[in-house]
Amino acid sequence: MIEKTNSGMVAGIIACVLAVLGILFLGVIFIPLAAIVAIFATVTAVKNKNIAGIGVSVLAWILTIIGLFTSPLLLGMLGLGLSAS
């Protein structure tokens, strides 16, 4: 059986880049995209037992959560806007 050594890594890196763009620029657009790509990266990395891919996916999730909490519009959409102020 051939193991894929980089499974989940590329998607995890893309999710990290999208999350950083969401933190710095338009969180409404980039943070949901980062979350979708991070889900795909996490599932792929866990399915193929790629430790590096899982690590990058965890980093993508951390950055996505930071992006979520730094975007007032996203917090308002989730109903957490009043509790943040």
Side-chain angles (χ1 to χ4, degrees):
M1 183 176 0
I2 299 173
E3 291 186 22
K4 297 178 182 177
T5 56
N6 289 332
S7 56
M9 284 289 293
V10 174
I13 293 169
I14 292 171
C16 288
V17 169
L18 288 171
V20 169
L21 287 173
I23 292 169
L24 296 176
F25 299 111
L26 291 172
V28 177
I29 296 170
F30 292 117
I31 295 300
L33 288 174
I36 292 169
V37 176
I39 289 171
F40 177 74
T42 304
V43 169
T44 305
V46 169
K47 183 177 142 185
N48 293 314
K49 298 175 184 164
N50 184 5
I51 301 298
I54 293 171
V56 172
S57 297
V58 168
L59 176 64
W61 280 112
I62 291 170
L63 290 171
T64 301
I65 291 170
I66 291 171
L68 175 69
F69 286 123
T70 57
S71 174
L73 189 58
L74 285 175
L75 287 174
M77 286 180 183
L78 292 175
L80 301 172
L82 292 177
S83 64
S85 60

